[in-house]
Amino acid sequence: SQQGEEDPQALSIQEGENATMNCSYKTSINNLQWYRQNSGRGLVHLILIRSNEREKHSGRLRVTLDTSKKSSSLLITASRAADTASYFCATQETSGSRLTFGEGTQLTVNP
Amino acid sequence: GAVVSQHPSRVICKSGTSVKIECRSLDFQATTMFWYRQFPKQSLMLMATSNEGSKATYEQGVEKDKFLINHASLTLSTLTVTSAHPEDSSFYICSASPFKDRVAYEQYFGPGTRLTVT
């Protein structure tokens, strides 16, 4: 069963704007990961944040993790039309174990 | 980065036939691979965990006799959908983690296999 809930389910913004997606989970975790999926394609790993980390950056991506609230957010700054995709959070309870995915957010960036 | 391939990328089969999907880690060894299923506009649902040299571990509700998994080597796992029915039509995705110093890192996903059962 999916333990992650993501909001919003769908987000439509203009190019250049920032996009923020949120993810909540229910169990204790070792790490939380964000993935991107273009329509009909496989998943691309974006960023991993461990349970003892609070914030992580990678290029235009910024991820935060609040283990007390069991939530994470993904911020994409200065969005581009090419960022249009579905974004999923996924948690791992222990290193190397199964991933449990959230429901995903469909991001549309309009040129 | 680590590369995982899947073959075929698309397959159409007739109801009642069996289909085999391969998942390969191309540049690393993976003792564990995972098989997911994704229906349109939905998230990924884990079907089973494939362990090299041992039986797969299936998630609740997944029929092990229908979805046969074989992890014959450290770089290859196969999923066979037996006696396929139209409701088995879905996007099947595998993933694997490279291990370093006994610690597993990010999972890398294959490009997926679109199965259509007619």
Side-chain angles (χ1 to χ4, degrees), chain A residues 2 37 45 95-96 98 102, chain B residues 38 43-45 59 104 106-107:
Chain A
Q2 301 295 316
Q37 183 182 36
H45 183 267
S95 176
R98 53 179 289 177
Chain B
Q38 185 181 33
S43 188
L44 280 74
M45 295 290 293
E59 295 299 301
E106 296 87 353
Q107 286 191 20

Side-chain angles (χ1 to χ4, degrees), chain A residues 22-77:
Chain A
N22 302 297
C23 166
S24 61
Y25 57 92
K26 297 177 183 175
T27 65
S28 296
I29 62 172
N30 174 275
N31 64 77
L32 184 144
Q33 304 177 34
W34 284 90
Y35 289 84
R36 164 199 169 117
Q37 183 182 36
N38 286 73
S39 181
R41 302 288 186 89
L43 273 71
V44 174
H45 183 267
L46 297 176
I47 197 164
L48 179 152
I49 186 165
R50 301 190 192 280
S51 60
N52 60 353
E53 297 176 310
R54 292 296 168 259
E55 188 171 310
K56 208 161 184 180
H57 297 253
S58 176
R60 293 183 296 113
L61 306 180
R62 173 176 169 256
V63 169
T64 62
L65 179 64
D66 186 335
T67 53
S68 66
K69 295 181 179 178
K70 291 187 166 58
S71 67
S72 173
S73 68
L74 170 66
L75 167 68
I76 304 175
T77 60

Side-chain angles (χ1 to χ4, degrees), chain B residues 40-113:
Chain B
K41 298 191 183 302
Q42 294 188 21
S43 188
L44 280 74
M45 295 290 293
L46 180 66
M47 298 175 66
T49 302
S50 170
N51 302 297
E52 188 268 337
S54 64
K55 291 183 179 180
T57 304
Y58 290 83
E59 295 299 301
Q60 191 173 8
V62 177
E63 300 175 59
K64 62 180 181 180
D65 294 330
K66 181 170 183 61
F67 298 99
L68 301 179
I69 290 173
N70 184 10
H71 196 150
S73 76
L74 287 171
T75 58
L76 173 64
S77 175
T78 59
L79 168 68
T80 301
V81 183
T82 63
S83 187
H85 289 129
E87 56 265 32
D88 297 325
S89 298
S90 188
F91 195 53
Y92 292 87
I93 307 176
C94 71
S95 72
S97 286
F99 274 75
K100 292 181 183 179
D101 300 325
R102 301 185 182 180
V103 176
Y105 289 81
E106 296 87 353
Q107 286 191 20
Y108 293 90
F109 284 78
T113 297

Side-chain angles (χ1 to χ4, degrees), chain A residues 8-15 17-19 79 84 105-110:
Chain A
Q9 289 187 333
L11 179 61
S12 182
I13 59 174
Q14 296 299 124
E15 217 169 17
E17 294 179 341
N18 296 341
S79 64
T84 295
T105 295
Q106 172 61 50
L107 173 66
T108 302
V109 182
N110 302 299

